[in-house]
Amino acid sequence: MSAQCCAGQLACCCGSAGCSLCCDCCPRIRQSLSTRFMYALYFILVVILCCIMMSTTVAHKMKEHIPFFEDMCKGIKAGDTCEKLVGYSAVYRVCFGMACFFFIFCLLTLKINNSKSCRAHIHNGFWFFKLLLLGAMCSGAFFIPDQDTFLNAWRYVGAVGGFLFIGIQLLLLVEFAHKWNKNWTAGTASNKLWYASLALVTLIMYSIATGGLVLMAVFYTQKDGCMENKILLGVNGGLCLLISLVAISPCVQNRQPHSGLLQSGVISCYVTYLTFSALSSKPAEVVLDEHGKNVTICVPDFGQDLYRDENLVTILGTSLLIGCILYSCLTSTTRSSSDALQGRYAAPELEIARCCFCFSPGGEDTEEQQQGKEGPRVIYDEKKGTVYIYSYFHFVFFLASLYVMMTVTNWFNYESANIESFFSGSWSIFWVKMASCWICVLLYLCTLVAPLCCPTREFSV
């Protein structure tokens, strides 16, 4: 069995076969899932490399512990201390290579409907050669002539792509809120317990949002000072109240009967989370107390102790950053997400209420899934049709590459950026998160007000 497994992995790396899990005790895996896992793995490897390049600690450790470090740097023409391989400019080049990699595959996989075509085989296999291609593109970016012009132009491309990535996530969040309410409301026709479920979840959402805003008012404000925090908490709390009142207003209810407090509760929770994330990313304010000592204000006392351990904060923060970006990429590349962005929704009468409404309802096993336990370790589940849109999948990862580039290099404060100070506070990140918060509210309000402004047009949400 081990020889068969090795042969399968070799076919996966150098051929068009799908990748299976390594251990014999592991269950079989769908090709659609294994393919996305492999692309995500490549993405994670490059993101980790970018974080290492932005780390001054790693650079110092390498210089101290690697023998002949300076000679090696001069040998590869990377500078006396490999300064060309670290810092924001190196991250820009590596992310340029990764973005080009995903953009090429985005064009290559346009209009693929099943896994039988030649282009689909390239998408689902040949992982060793794709790893070589990714490495070559990331390395080749260091040899682009006229680096200053390239970096300045690529910075603006990265900013546009990063904001577009954020916009897609916000659109999908608003769509998620509407879909949740519509799905559970459909169940009330046959079972009145769905009303209780809607009421309970709505209560939980508003409790989280209200509790979060209150806790932030306690820990991120003081009686004297912290005026910016007080204003932002007041504004964002007022926006949560505004969208709740608009959602249940008679004019909106007449045009959109499915509109309710559940959607506004979900958006309010996300606004609360973004507000907390923004305040946590804000640079600390330091003032002199009555004894002439520097005192940090407008942040929780327990947070100051945590930030003293830079290595712990860097490791935890980087892991959380990678996890959040990867989750956003994978959840926004499903076929339902693509349909939502294009305005295609299921008819309300076809909705079947489910607790886990995000997933497709379980049906009969396909022919590939009904194979015996001794069958292939990879289930080829896309012979009749693709589970997700290949080109859209690569396009989202292309935008994610730009978002990573801008985030890791501290957006527009790139010259002084490093991964150790990234999690201790940045005005660029603070305002990006606050802007995302307000754009999210604006998008949700548009879905409520648009049917009133255009009464002759049909809206599906």
Side-chain angles (χ1 to χ4, degrees), residues 63-237:
K63 186 176 180 180
E64 292 175 1
H65 295 92
I66 296 180
F68 310 109
F69 179 75
E70 293 183 359
D71 295 335
M72 182 181 68
C73 292
K74 292 177 182 178
I76 61 176
K77 298 181 180 180
D80 293 339
T81 57
C82 286
E83 62 269 14
K84 293 183 180 179
L85 299 180
V86 296
Y88 79 93
S89 61
V91 172
Y92 275 27
R93 296 182 182 104
V94 169
C95 287
F96 173 79
M98 180 167 65
C100 289
F101 174 82
F102 283 114
F103 188 71
I104 289 173
F105 275 92
C106 174
L107 298 178
L108 181 67
T109 55
L110 285 171
K111 303 294 183 180
I112 293 180
N113 298 319
N114 56 60
S115 62
K116 296 180 180 179
S117 68
C118 178
R119 292 182 296 146
H121 288 319
I122 296 175
H123 168 78
N124 289 312
F126 302 99
W127 294 107
F128 175 72
F129 298 109
K130 282 190 277 196
L131 181 61
L132 292 180
L133 176 63
L134 177 61
M137 298 184 92
C138 292
S139 302
F142 286 87
F143 299 96
I144 295 176
D146 196 0
Q147 290 285 333
D148 292 337
T149 303
F150 162 72
L151 293 176
N152 289 330
W154 185 239
R155 184 176 304 118
Y156 291 106
V157 175
V160 173
F163 283 122
L164 187 56
F165 179 79
I166 294 173
I168 289 177
Q169 307 310 314
L170 297 179
L171 281 171
L172 292 177
L173 175 72
V174 173
E175 184 271 338
F176 167 82
H178 283 294
K179 183 178 179 180
W180 189 354
N181 185 76
K182 185 168 66 173
N183 185 271
W184 282 22
T185 302
T188 58
S190 57
N191 191 339
K192 301 303 179 184
L193 287 177
W194 286 107
Y195 280 119
S197 301
L198 283 167
L200 177 62
V201 172
T202 302
L203 180 62
I204 292 173
M205 292 293 175
Y206 275 102
S207 299
I208 293 174
T210 305
L213 290 172
V214 170
L215 288 174
M216 281 186 281
V218 172
F219 290 108
Y220 284 94
T221 63
Q222 295 179 359
K223 186 176 181 181
D224 299 321
C226 306
M227 186 56 63
E228 289 180 353
N229 291 5
K230 293 176 182 177
I231 293 175
L232 290 172
L233 286 172
V235 169
N236 291 352

Side-chain angles (χ1 to χ4, degrees), residues 175-453:
E175 184 271 338
F176 167 82
H178 283 294
K179 183 178 179 180
W180 189 354
N181 185 76
K182 185 168 66 173
N183 185 271
W184 282 22
T185 302
T188 58
S190 57
N191 191 339
K192 301 303 179 184
L193 287 177
W194 286 107
Y195 280 119
S197 301
L198 283 167
L200 177 62
V201 172
T202 302
L203 180 62
I204 292 173
M205 292 293 175
Y206 275 102
S207 299
I208 293 174
T210 305
L213 290 172
V214 170
L215 288 174
M216 281 186 281
V218 172
F219 290 108
Y220 284 94
T221 63
Q222 295 179 359
K223 186 176 181 181
D224 299 321
C226 306
M227 186 56 63
E228 289 180 353
N229 291 5
K230 293 176 182 177
I231 293 175
L232 290 172
L233 286 172
V235 169
N236 291 352
L239 290 174
C240 293
L241 179 61
L242 173 65
I243 60 177
S244 302
L245 294 177
V246 172
I248 59 175
S249 62
C251 54
V252 172
Q253 286 290 315
N254 290 336
R255 193 72 175 86
Q256 296 189 77
H258 291 293
S259 175
L261 291 176
L262 177 60
Q263 298 102 307
S264 56
V266 172
I267 302 301
S268 297
C269 276
Y270 192 67
V271 168
T272 302
Y273 159 73
L274 283 180
T275 305
F276 167 72
S277 183
L279 293 179
S280 301
S281 303
K282 184 181 176 184
E285 298 181 39
V286 180
V287 297
L288 294 175
D289 62 5
E290 59 273 13
H291 303 293
K293 295 182 180 179
N294 290 330
V295 178
T296 303
I297 61 173
C298 306
V299 294
D301 294 333
F302 54 82
Q304 298 179 37
D305 296 330
L306 176 63
Y307 281 112
R308 291 193 183 105
D309 190 346
E310 281 191 353
N311 291 334
L312 175 62
V313 173
T314 301
I315 293 172
L316 292 178
T318 303
S319 303
L320 184 62
L321 174 67
I322 295 173
C324 290
I325 295 175
L326 195 60
Y327 175 79
S328 298
C329 288
L330 295 178
T331 55
S332 57
T333 52
T334 60
R335 183 171 290 276
S336 60
S337 298
S338 176
D339 291 342
L341 291 174
Q342 299 176 57
R344 296 198 297 259
Y345 300 91
E349 59 272 13
L350 300 178
E351 285 284 343
I352 301 175
R354 304 186 306 275
C355 290
C356 300
F357 66 94
C358 293
F359 303 97
S360 301
E364 296 181 0
D365 289 342
T366 63
E367 180 181 346
E368 291 83 357
Q369 292 171 311
Q370 291 174 349
Q371 296 174 358
K373 292 183 179 180
E374 298 300 324
R377 296 187 56 78
V378 179
I379 302 173
Y380 293 94
D381 57 339
E382 296 183 305
K383 291 181 179 180
K384 296 181 179 179
T386 57
V387 175
Y388 59 100
I389 300 175
Y390 292 172
S391 58
Y392 175 66
F393 171 84
H394 289 293
F395 180 70
V396 170
F397 270 90
F398 163 73
L399 295 180
S401 303
L402 301 179
Y403 176 76
V404 166
M405 180 184 78
M406 298 303 296
T407 302
V408 172
T409 57
N410 210 359
W411 288 84
F412 301 106
N413 291 336
Y414 49 88
E415 292 183 347
S416 59
N418 60 75
I419 201 67
E420 284 82 8
S421 62
F422 173 79
F423 301 101
S424 61
S426 166
W427 283 112
S428 295
I429 296 175
F430 169 78
W431 285 114
V432 166
K433 291 179 178 179
M434 289 308 304
S436 301
C437 175
W438 298 330
I439 292 173
C440 181
V441 172
L442 180 62
L443 288 173
Y444 177 64
L445 282 175
C446 287
T447 63
L448 299 178
V449 178
L452 302 178
C453 300

